[in-house]
Amino acid sequence: MDKRQAIGSWLSGPRAAMEEAGADFGYRGQELGLPEKGPGSIAGPGRRLGALAVDWGLCLLIAYGLITDGYGQATSNWALLIFFVLSVLTVGTIGFTPGKRLLGLRVVELGTGRVSPLRALLRSVLLCLAIPALIWDRDGRGLHDRLARTVEVRL
């Protein structure tokens, strides 16, 4: 093995190195019983981050325009509270936030396909803490989704 191969496997991560060695991990969502592509498949990180950006922008706009009348630390704090309420209410009732709907995503519970209000509350609390959302499993689900037994899928 030359130095370029060693550096390439290090940069690609452990999964890519294991796949090059012959390990078969399958596709994301295979162990959850989800399709590989199309509706019902696990949403990619780009769409998920885009939906989060749309929702956060909407919450900032509401906080800026209706509550704080100017931008500052209070605006960000109010935006986080609005984001929490928006997430609990919309995910717990219809399964998606405005940003998720705009980008064709939906949050579903693994067993039933609908997210109960308590699971939406748990998911939203963990999402607002930010750290659980940054820890992903091999399927691309954040810790907030794993603990709430939910998954974000494409419409």
Side-chain angles (χ1 to χ4, degrees):
M1 175 183 283
D2 67 4
K3 292 180 183 178
R4 288 178 293 177
Q5 275 185 314
I7 290 173
S9 68
W10 176 75
L11 290 174
S12 305
R15 180 180 175 131
M18 290 296 293
E19 285 175 345
E20 286 178 13
D24 181 25
F25 290 110
Y27 61 87
R28 292 181 318 139
Q30 184 174 10
E31 291 183 358
L32 302 173
L34 300 174
E36 184 175 4
K37 297 181 183 198
S41 64
I42 289 189
R47 280 189 178 189
R48 292 170 58 181
L49 288 173
L52 181 64
V54 168
D55 290 335
W56 183 252
L58 178 66
C59 293
L60 270 175
L61 188 63
I62 292 169
Y64 179 79
L66 298 178
I67 299 173
T68 62
D69 195 33
Y71 187 76
Q73 181 62 38
T75 305
S76 296
N77 292 341
W78 278 106
L80 183 63
L81 179 64
I82 294 167
F83 178 80
F84 173 74
V85 171
L86 175 80
S87 181
V88 169
L89 292 178
T90 58
V91 171
T93 56
I94 57 176
F96 47 78
T97 61
K100 289 181 191 351
R101 179 67 181 128
L102 184 68
L103 292 173
L105 304 176
R106 183 181 182 128
V107 178
V108 296
E109 190 175 332
L110 287 175
T112 63
R114 292 193 49 120
V115 181
S116 70
L118 288 176
R119 290 201 190 278
L121 178 68
L122 174 63
R123 184 182 188 278
S124 299
V125 165
L126 293 171
L127 184 60
C128 287
L129 292 176
I131 299 298
L134 297 174
I135 301 170
W136 292 3
D137 65 2
R138 73 172 214 80
D139 290 320
R141 292 188 328 164
L143 187 58
H144 64 295
D145 277 328
R146 287 186 56 96
L147 292 175
R149 294 190 49 222
T150 59
V151 64
E152 202 164 334
V153 297
R154 294 173 45 188
L155 288 175

